[in-house]
Amino acid sequence: MDTKTTLDLLADRAATPLDQAMSSPPSLYTDPAILDMEIKSIFEKEWHCPGLAADIPEPGDYVTFSIGEQQVFSMRQKDGSIRTFSNICRHRMMQLLEGRGNTKVVVCPYHAWTYSQDGSLRGAPYMDRSETFDRKKFCLPEIRTEIWNGWIYITLNADAPSTAELLAPINDLVAQFRMDRYVPCETQDHVWQTNWKLLTENFMEGYHLPVAHRATVGQWIGLDDTIFPPDVNPHFTWQTFTKDETAIYGRAAEACDYLEGKWRYTTIMPTVFPAHMYVLAPDHVWYLSLRPRGVGEVHVRFGVALAPERLDAFPNKQAALKDLITFFDHVNEEDRFVVEGIFTGAQGALAQAGPLSWLEREIHDFQKYLAGKLCSPQNATARVAAE
Ligand code: FES
Ligand SMILES: [Fe+2]
């Protein structure tokens, strides 16, 4: 199917009422021209989440990430703020930092140009004979960083509205969990063999939980309790569901004195478009933050953090954390199996879109989001170029 037909079908799906909604055409997930448009119109424009602010609590703590082709790192400053810089050396473009860690200064591994934590160039060996060289002119470019309810959000877009504004409608819903106190327990980076949108869609919908996750979280969840937002929002979607008393994770610890009634066993699952999604429960949060790496590969950043009162309640913390990580590794494996399976399926000549359940309402919200970004009039030129 050509790119124009795929995008016309996406626009059509987005405009279809929910009770007649269909999943997106297979080519939406396999066409490299669509990915190019997504990088330009979505990833380079939107906010992305490299992790929790609590992941980097001390000055010099850093975490690396990327937006499209741009490598970046977020670093805790001496004044307690978090700032995000280009992770590319101003000398000859070597990548500066890898992974995560702590450093007093950022030293390029190529010729040892050295940057301060605020991105300014502090030293450049053997540049003393370069007459016009002025190290003040070679700071690392900085991009916007905001903290929202404990999350770090970053964007390349100088004109994007703030996260406080975009996410205001879900602020109270999320803030009641006081997630900014949650203690990070694990972060992992993986590459899965699927299209990034298949993983976003998979994470959003609860329909698969009792089946694909029957060995883990699926057995605790009552789908009939699922609640969706009253209105479709162009920046995020969410659902809530409850977990019964057999749930090992997902219910408030006894010492939790700020959640009442149903909220003590309710989980909220927001997706901040395009690629940050999380399960926020009274005792834990776990999240994925995605970055496409080609049409059929996606970088997956996974993290889990616990409410401090949950952590304190474990008689043996070390053993409890080991169990928790094993458990979530299992959940992730269950998801990897299905999203890689769908990507393989989407490439078959007989693959076709099918009807959506009411439990897949958020996939329909996501179609509206994608159509708004990829099928809008300003993208007409890009669509013609992509054909
Ligand atoms: S590329 Fe970084 S010091 Fe040369
Ligand atoms: Fe899942």
Side-chain angles (χ1 to χ4, degrees):
M1 187 180 290
D2 66 34
T3 304
K4 182 180 179 312
T5 310
T6 304
L7 290 173
D8 287 347
L9 266 173
L10 171 65
D12 185 62
R13 298 285 192 266
T16 304
L18 180 60
D19 59 2
Q20 298 157 40
M22 298 279 287
S23 60
S24 298
S27 48
L28 188 72
Y29 309 99
T30 58
D31 182 345
I34 300 250
L35 179 67
D36 290 346
M37 292 173 65
E38 288 167 348
I39 299 293
K40 294 264 168 308
S41 302
I42 296 179
F43 282 87
E44 291 180 357
K45 296 282 189 303
E46 299 280 54
W47 290 95
H48 303 283
C49 178
L52 288 160
D55 289 335
I56 48 172
E58 301 299 330
D61 283 351
Y62 66 86
V63 57
T64 58
F65 202 63
S66 59
I67 303 176
E69 297 299 326
Q70 177 63 51
Q71 303 292 319
V72 297
F73 67 90
S74 299
M75 182 174 270
R76 180 76 69 172
Q77 304 292 299
K78 289 193 185 84
D79 67 3
S81 64
I82 293 175
R83 293 170 68 179
T84 304
F85 301 97
S86 166
N87 194 15
I88 306 300
C89 184
R90 293 295 310 274
H91 176 221
R92 275 174 45 214
M93 298 175 288
M94 177 63 189
Q95 184 180 323
L96 294 165
L97 295 169
E98 281 187 89
R100 56 184 70 228
N102 178 284
T103 187
K104 277 200 171 57
V105 288
V106 177
V107 183
C108 179
Y110 201 2
H111 314 93
W113 280 30
T114 302
Y115 302 86
S116 301
Q117 289 172 0
D118 65 1
S120 55
L121 180 62
R122 179 177 155 139
Y126 298 104
M127 292 301 290
D128 50 318
R129 295 186 198 175
S130 304
E131 225 174 81
T132 55
F133 174 70
D134 174 2
R135 70 182 164 81
K136 287 193 231 45
K137 291 188 180 152
F138 298 95
C139 318
L140 297 176
E142 182 172 3
I143 67 167
R144 291 174 69 195
T145 307
E146 292 184 0
I147 309 299
W148 185 87
N149 278 295
W151 295 114
I152 306 169
Y153 281 110
I154 60 175
T155 183
L156 292 178
N157 184 354
D159 301 321
S162 72
T163 50
E165 185 184 329
L166 295 178
L167 303 177
I170 51 166
N171 186 65
D172 292 352
L173 205 57
V174 171
Q176 66 177 328
F177 290 91
R178 304 189 190 176
M179 197 195 68
D180 52 352
R181 302 153 45 252
Y182 284 18
V183 182
C185 299
E186 178 77 350
T187 50
Q188 298 173 5
D189 285 294
H190 300 285
V191 175
W192 289 4
Q193 306 303 308
T194 192
N195 182 267
W196 71 275
K197 298 185 296 299
L198 291 171
L199 183 46
T200 302
E201 292 178 346
N202 169 72
F203 199 96
M204 287 194 293
E205 54 93 348
Y207 192 20
H208 75 286
L209 295 176
V211 188
H213 296 296
R214 61 190 165 281
T216 55
V217 288
Q219 47 188 313
W220 311 327
I221 292 162
L223 289 181
D224 289 326
D225 274 354
T226 306
I227 293 171
F228 297 107
D231 307 308
V232 175
N233 186 288
H235 309 294
F236 59 81
T237 183
W238 55 267
Q239 64 170 280
T240 65
F241 51 79
T242 55
K243 286 194 183 149
D244 69 24
E245 31 316 303
T246 63
I248 305 170
Y249 307 111
R251 295 172 69 90
E254 232 170 89
C256 167
D257 57 5
Y258 52 90
L259 288 169
E260 288 182 357
K262 191 180 148 195
W263 287 108
R264 293 185 71 80
Y265 52 92
T266 295
T267 293
I268 171 167
M269 223 164 63
T271 296
V272 177
F273 297 140
H276 177 218
M277 54 218 78
Y278 52 106
V279 171
L280 175 57
D283 62 336
H284 75 278
V285 62
W286 71 280
Y287 69 92
L288 298 186
S289 189
L290 311 180
R291 293 168 279 164
R293 191 171 102 160
V295 277
E297 281 196 336
V298 59
H299 281 283
V300 183
R301 176 157 295 172
F302 156 73
V304 54
L306 285 179
E309 61 275 6
R310 157 63 64 222
L311 201 53
D312 290 345
F314 288 130
N316 181 339
K317 280 197 185 66
Q318 231 177 353
L321 288 178
K322 196 163 165 253
D323 288 350
L324 175 104
I325 291 159
T326 305
F327 181 84
F328 282 104
D329 282 349
H330 191 175
V331 176
N332 282 334
E333 250 332 276
E334 291 168 334
D335 280 323
R336 190 181 65 77
F337 171 70
V338 290
V339 298
E340 293 191 347
I342 311 166
F343 185 69
T344 304
Q347 293 168 79
L350 303 180
Q352 287 182 59
L356 296 176
S357 153
W358 65 273
L359 282 166
E360 295 167 296
R361 139 82 193 265
E362 290 172 87
I363 292 184
H364 195 236
D365 291 359
F366 190 45
Q367 288 174 330
K368 287 180 192 291
Y369 168 79
L370 292 171
K373 298 293 176 191
L374 304 177
C375 309
S376 57
Q378 63 264 38
N379 272 325
T381 328
R383 286 166 64 185
V384 171
E387 278 169 48

